PDB file of all heavy atoms in Angstrom:
ATOM      1  N   SER O1353       5.123  20.659   0.145  1.00 97.00           N
ATOM      2  CA  SER O1353       4.716  21.967   0.649  1.00 97.00           C
ATOM      3  C   SER O1353       4.372  22.888  -0.509  1.00 97.00           C
ATOM      4  O   SER O1353       4.783  22.661  -1.645  1.00 97.00           O
ATOM      5  CB  SER O1353       5.830  22.590   1.497  1.00 97.00           C
ATOM      6  OG  SER O1353       6.960  22.885   0.701  1.00 97.00           O
ATOM      7  N   ALA O1354       3.612  23.939  -0.169  1.00 97.00           N
ATOM      8  CA  ALA O1354       3.238  24.951  -1.157  1.00 97.00           C
ATOM      9  C   ALA O1354       2.866  26.224  -0.416  1.00 97.00           C
ATOM     10  O   ALA O1354       2.619  26.206   0.791  1.00 97.00           O
ATOM     11  CB  ALA O1354       2.068  24.469  -2.010  1.00 97.00           C
ATOM     12  N   GLY O1355       2.812  27.322  -1.178  1.00 96.00           N
ATOM     13  CA  GLY O1355       2.449  28.602  -0.594  1.00 96.00           C
ATOM     14  C   GLY O1355       1.218  29.202  -1.239  1.00 96.00           C
ATOM     15  O   GLY O1355       0.945  28.961  -2.416  1.00 96.00           O
ATOM     16  N   ILE O1356       0.496  29.984  -0.461  1.00 95.00           N
ATOM     17  CA  ILE O1356      -0.664  30.705  -0.983  1.00 95.00           C
ATOM     18  C   ILE O1356      -0.180  31.752  -1.987  1.00 95.00           C
ATOM     19  O   ILE O1356      -0.753  31.917  -3.061  1.00 95.00           O
ATOM     20  CB  ILE O1356      -1.462  31.354   0.170  1.00 95.00           C
ATOM     21  CG1 ILE O1356      -2.005  30.271   1.112  1.00 95.00           C
ATOM     22  CG2 ILE O1356      -2.593  32.222  -0.376  1.00 95.00           C
ATOM     23  CD1 ILE O1356      -2.564  30.795   2.428  1.00 95.00           C
ATOM     24  N   ASN O1357       0.877  32.477  -1.623  1.00 94.00           N
ATOM     25  CA  ASN O1357       1.534  33.460  -2.494  1.00 94.00           C
ATOM     26  C   ASN O1357       3.033  33.190  -2.441  1.00 94.00           C
ATOM     27  O   ASN O1357       3.762  33.868  -1.716  1.00 94.00           O
ATOM     28  CB  ASN O1357       1.240  34.892  -2.026  1.00 94.00           C
ATOM     29  CG  ASN O1357      -0.218  35.246  -2.143  1.00 94.00           C
ATOM     30  OD1 ASN O1357      -0.802  35.139  -3.209  1.00 94.00           O
ATOM     31  ND2 ASN O1357      -0.826  35.647  -1.035  1.00 94.00           N
ATOM     32  N   PRO O1358       3.505  32.198  -3.202  1.00 94.00           N
ATOM     33  CA  PRO O1358       4.905  31.771  -3.069  1.00 94.00           C
ATOM     34  C   PRO O1358       5.899  32.873  -3.408  1.00 94.00           C
ATOM     35  O   PRO O1358       5.691  33.640  -4.342  1.00 94.00           O
ATOM     36  CB  PRO O1358       5.025  30.602  -4.047  1.00 94.00           C
ATOM     37  CG  PRO O1358       3.933  30.828  -5.039  1.00 94.00           C
ATOM     38  CD  PRO O1358       2.813  31.502  -4.286  1.00 94.00           C
ATOM     39  N   LEU O1359       6.961  32.922  -2.611  1.00 95.00           N
ATOM     40  CA  LEU O1359       8.014  33.903  -2.836  1.00 95.00           C
ATOM     41  C   LEU O1359       8.949  33.483  -3.965  1.00 95.00           C
ATOM     42  O   LEU O1359       9.645  34.317  -4.532  1.00 95.00           O
ATOM     43  CB  LEU O1359       8.823  34.118  -1.550  1.00 95.00           C
ATOM     44  CG  LEU O1359       8.060  34.760  -0.392  1.00 95.00           C
ATOM     45  CD1 LEU O1359       8.965  34.889   0.823  1.00 95.00           C
ATOM     46  CD2 LEU O1359       7.511  36.121  -0.797  1.00 95.00           C
ATOM     47  N   GLY O1360       9.006  32.186  -4.257  1.00 95.00           N
ATOM     48  CA  GLY O1360       9.854  31.717  -5.350  1.00 95.00           C
ATOM     49  C   GLY O1360      11.276  31.375  -4.929  1.00 95.00           C
ATOM     50  O   GLY O1360      12.105  31.040  -5.764  1.00 95.00           O
ATOM     51  N   PHE O1361      11.557  31.463  -3.624  1.00 96.00           N
ATOM     52  CA  PHE O1361      12.883  31.087  -3.114  1.00 96.00           C
ATOM     53  C   PHE O1361      12.729  30.623  -1.674  1.00 96.00           C
ATOM     54  O   PHE O1361      11.746  30.949  -1.007  1.00 96.00           O
ATOM     55  CB  PHE O1361      13.872  32.259  -3.187  1.00 96.00           C
ATOM     56  CG  PHE O1361      13.496  33.427  -2.307  1.00 96.00           C
ATOM     57  CD1 PHE O1361      13.956  33.516  -0.997  1.00 96.00           C
ATOM     58  CD2 PHE O1361      12.668  34.429  -2.788  1.00 96.00           C
ATOM     59  CE1 PHE O1361      13.600  34.574  -0.179  1.00 96.00           C
ATOM     60  CE2 PHE O1361      12.304  35.497  -1.970  1.00 96.00           C
ATOM     61  CZ  PHE O1361      12.770  35.568  -0.676  1.00 96.00           C
ATOM     62  N   VAL O1362      13.704  29.844  -1.238  1.00 96.00           N
ATOM     63  CA  VAL O1362      13.733  29.399   0.155  1.00 96.00           C
ATOM     64  C   VAL O1362      14.638  30.354   0.922  1.00 96.00           C
ATOM     65  O   VAL O1362      15.777  30.604   0.517  1.00 96.00           O
ATOM     66  CB  VAL O1362      14.252  27.948   0.258  1.00 96.00           C
ATOM     67  CG1 VAL O1362      14.356  27.515   1.718  1.00 96.00           C
ATOM     68  CG2 VAL O1362      13.347  26.997  -0.528  1.00 96.00           C
ATOM     69  N   ALA O1363      14.121  30.905   2.003  1.00 96.00           N
ATOM     70  CA  ALA O1363      14.902  31.842   2.812  1.00 96.00           C
ATOM     71  C   ALA O1363      16.170  31.163   3.323  1.00 96.00           C
ATOM     72  O   ALA O1363      16.114  30.023   3.800  1.00 96.00           O
ATOM     73  CB  ALA O1363      14.063  32.346   3.987  1.00 96.00           C
ATOM     74  N   PRO O1364      17.314  31.829   3.243  1.00 96.00           N
ATOM     75  CA  PRO O1364      18.564  31.241   3.730  1.00 96.00           C
ATOM     76  C   PRO O1364      18.496  30.818   5.194  1.00 96.00           C
ATOM     77  O   PRO O1364      19.084  29.814   5.580  1.00 96.00           O
ATOM     78  CB  PRO O1364      19.599  32.348   3.527  1.00 96.00           C
ATOM     79  CG  PRO O1364      18.999  33.298   2.556  1.00 96.00           C
ATOM     80  CD  PRO O1364      17.515  33.150   2.661  1.00 96.00           C
ATOM     81  N   GLU O1365      17.746  31.570   6.002  1.00 97.00           N
ATOM     82  CA  GLU O1365      17.609  31.234   7.418  1.00 97.00           C
ATOM     83  C   GLU O1365      16.878  29.896   7.593  1.00 97.00           C
ATOM     84  O   GLU O1365      17.165  29.145   8.521  1.00 97.00           O
ATOM     85  CB  GLU O1365      16.848  32.343   8.159  1.00 97.00           C
ATOM     86  CG  GLU O1365      17.566  33.665   8.194  1.00 97.00           C
ATOM     87  CD  GLU O1365      17.249  34.563   6.982  1.00 97.00           C
ATOM     88  OE1 GLU O1365      16.653  34.088   6.001  1.00 97.00           O
ATOM     89  OE2 GLU O1365      17.614  35.749   7.027  1.00 97.00           O
ATOM     90  N   THR O1366      15.956  29.600   6.692  1.00 97.00           N
ATOM     91  CA  THR O1366      15.253  28.314   6.728  1.00 97.00           C
ATOM     92  C   THR O1366      16.256  27.185   6.563  1.00 97.00           C
ATOM     93  O   THR O1366      16.250  26.211   7.328  1.00 97.00           O
ATOM     94  CB  THR O1366      14.190  28.247   5.611  1.00 97.00           C
ATOM     95  OG1 THR O1366      13.209  29.266   5.834  1.00 97.00           O
ATOM     96  CG2 THR O1366      13.511  26.893   5.550  1.00 97.00           C
ATOM     97  N   LEU O1367      17.119  27.320   5.580  1.00 97.00           N
ATOM     98  CA  LEU O1367      18.134  26.293   5.328  1.00 97.00           C
ATOM     99  C   LEU O1367      19.090  26.166   6.507  1.00 97.00           C
ATOM    100  O   LEU O1367      19.487  25.060   6.878  1.00 97.00           O
ATOM    101  CB  LEU O1367      18.892  26.609   4.044  1.00 97.00           C
ATOM    102  CG  LEU O1367      18.034  26.671   2.777  1.00 97.00           C
ATOM    103  CD1 LEU O1367      18.859  27.126   1.592  1.00 97.00           C
ATOM    104  CD2 LEU O1367      17.342  25.348   2.511  1.00 97.00           C
ATOM    105  N   GLU O1368      19.416  27.291   7.116  1.00 97.00           N
ATOM    106  CA  GLU O1368      20.344  27.280   8.240  1.00 97.00           C
ATOM    107  C   GLU O1368      19.768  26.552   9.453  1.00 97.00           C
ATOM    108  O   GLU O1368      20.441  25.721  10.074  1.00 97.00           O
ATOM    109  CB  GLU O1368      20.743  28.706   8.622  1.00 97.00           C
ATOM    110  CG  GLU O1368      21.853  28.748   9.633  1.00 97.00           C
ATOM    111  CD  GLU O1368      22.446  30.138   9.821  1.00 97.00           C
ATOM    112  OE1 GLU O1368      22.333  30.988   8.912  1.00 97.00           O
ATOM    113  OE2 GLU O1368      23.038  30.372  10.885  1.00 97.00           O
ATOM    114  N   VAL O1369      18.498  26.826   9.790  1.00 97.00           N
ATOM    115  CA  VAL O1369      17.926  26.174  10.972  1.00 97.00           C
ATOM    116  C   VAL O1369      17.622  24.698  10.714  1.00 97.00           C
ATOM    117  O   VAL O1369      17.612  23.907  11.657  1.00 97.00           O
ATOM    118  CB  VAL O1369      16.698  26.919  11.545  1.00 97.00           C
ATOM    119  CG1 VAL O1369      17.080  28.337  11.977  1.00 97.00           C
ATOM    120  CG2 VAL O1369      15.530  26.926  10.596  1.00 97.00           C
ATOM    121  N   LEU O1370      17.408  24.324   9.473  1.00 97.00           N
ATOM    122  CA  LEU O1370      17.271  22.898   9.155  1.00 97.00           C
ATOM    123  C   LEU O1370      18.619  22.197   9.307  1.00 97.00           C
ATOM    124  O   LEU O1370      18.703  21.110   9.878  1.00 97.00           O
ATOM    125  CB  LEU O1370      16.729  22.705   7.738  1.00 97.00           C
ATOM    126  CG  LEU O1370      15.260  23.066   7.532  1.00 97.00           C
ATOM    127  CD1 LEU O1370      14.904  23.010   6.050  1.00 97.00           C
ATOM    128  CD2 LEU O1370      14.342  22.163   8.346  1.00 97.00           C
ATOM    129  N   ALA O1371      19.679  22.838   8.820  1.00 96.00           N
ATOM    130  CA  ALA O1371      21.026  22.256   8.921  1.00 96.00           C
ATOM    131  C   ALA O1371      21.431  22.072  10.376  1.00 96.00           C
ATOM    132  O   ALA O1371      22.087  21.087  10.725  1.00 96.00           O
ATOM    133  CB  ALA O1371      22.036  23.135   8.188  1.00 96.00           C
ATOM    134  N   GLU O1372      21.016  22.997  11.245  1.00 97.00           N
ATOM    135  CA  GLU O1372      21.350  22.894  12.664  1.00 97.00           C
ATOM    136  C   GLU O1372      20.842  21.594  13.284  1.00 97.00           C
ATOM    137  O   GLU O1372      21.434  21.089  14.228  1.00 97.00           O
ATOM    138  CB  GLU O1372      20.743  24.079  13.439  1.00 97.00           C
ATOM    139  CG  GLU O1372      21.413  25.385  13.191  1.00 97.00           C
ATOM    140  CD  GLU O1372      20.721  26.538  13.891  1.00 97.00           C
ATOM    141  OE1 GLU O1372      19.653  26.353  14.523  1.00 97.00           O
ATOM    142  OE2 GLU O1372      21.250  27.664  13.801  1.00 97.00           O
ATOM    143  N   MET O1373      19.765  21.067  12.751  1.00 94.00           N
ATOM    144  CA  MET O1373      19.228  19.826  13.310  1.00 94.00           C
ATOM    145  C   MET O1373      19.486  18.621  12.414  1.00 94.00           C
ATOM    146  O   MET O1373      18.933  17.550  12.624  1.00 94.00           O
ATOM    147  CB  MET O1373      17.746  19.966  13.652  1.00 94.00           C
ATOM    148  CG  MET O1373      16.849  20.347  12.517  1.00 94.00           C
ATOM    149  SD  MET O1373      15.122  20.661  13.010  1.00 94.00           S
ATOM    150  CE  MET O1373      14.567  19.064  13.540  1.00 94.00           C
ATOM    151  N   GLY O1374      20.340  18.807  11.418  1.00 96.00           N
ATOM    152  CA  GLY O1374      20.745  17.694  10.568  1.00 96.00           C
ATOM    153  C   GLY O1374      19.703  17.254   9.561  1.00 96.00           C
ATOM    154  O   GLY O1374      19.698  16.108   9.126  1.00 96.00           O
ATOM    155  N   VAL O1375      18.829  18.165   9.169  1.00 95.00           N
ATOM    156  CA  VAL O1375      17.768  17.854   8.207  1.00 95.00           C
ATOM    157  C   VAL O1375      18.187  18.330   6.821  1.00 95.00           C
ATOM    158  O   VAL O1375      18.545  19.492   6.633  1.00 95.00           O
ATOM    159  CB  VAL O1375      16.433  18.510   8.628  1.00 95.00           C
ATOM    160  CG1 VAL O1375      15.372  18.332   7.559  1.00 95.00           C
ATOM    161  CG2 VAL O1375      15.963  17.943   9.950  1.00 95.00           C
ATOM    162  N   SER O1376      18.120  17.427   5.866  1.00 92.00           N
ATOM    163  CA  SER O1376      18.541  17.730   4.499  1.00 92.00           C
ATOM    164  C   SER O1376      17.538  18.643   3.790  1.00 92.00           C
ATOM    165  O   SER O1376      16.330  18.417   3.854  1.00 92.00           O
ATOM    166  CB  SER O1376      18.666  16.431   3.694  1.00 92.00           C
ATOM    167  OG  SER O1376      18.868  16.728   2.328  1.00 92.00           O
ATOM    168  N   PRO O1377      18.040  19.645   3.059  1.00 90.00           N
ATOM    169  CA  PRO O1377      17.176  20.501   2.267  1.00 90.00           C
ATOM    170  C   PRO O1377      17.005  19.996   0.826  1.00 90.00           C
ATOM    171  O   PRO O1377      16.423  20.675  -0.011  1.00 90.00           O
ATOM    172  CB  PRO O1377      17.924  21.840   2.279  1.00 90.00           C
ATOM    173  CG  PRO O1377      19.362  21.424   2.281  1.00 90.00           C
ATOM    174  CD  PRO O1377      19.410  20.164   3.127  1.00 90.00           C
ATOM    175  N   ALA O1378      17.490  18.797   0.538  1.00 91.00           N
ATOM    176  CA  ALA O1378      17.460  18.269  -0.830  1.00 91.00           C
ATOM    177  C   ALA O1378      16.051  18.291  -1.403  1.00 91.00           C
ATOM    178  O   ALA O1378      15.104  17.842  -0.765  1.00 91.00           O
ATOM    179  CB  ALA O1378      18.013  16.848  -0.855  1.00 91.00           C
ATOM    180  N   GLY O1379      15.932  18.840  -2.583  1.00 91.00           N
ATOM    181  CA  GLY O1379      14.662  18.850  -3.300  1.00 91.00           C
ATOM    182  C   GLY O1379      13.686  19.931  -2.883  1.00 91.00           C
ATOM    183  O   GLY O1379      12.589  20.021  -3.442  1.00 91.00           O
TER     184      GLY O1379
END
Side-chain angles (χ1 to χ4, degrees):
S1353 66
I1356 298 168
N1357 295 305
L1359 294 179
F1361 64 91
V1362 177
E1365 295 89 348
T1366 297
L1367 300 174
E1368 189 169 337
V1369 299
L1370 289 172
E1372 288 176 356
M1373 58 186 294
V1375 173
S1376 171

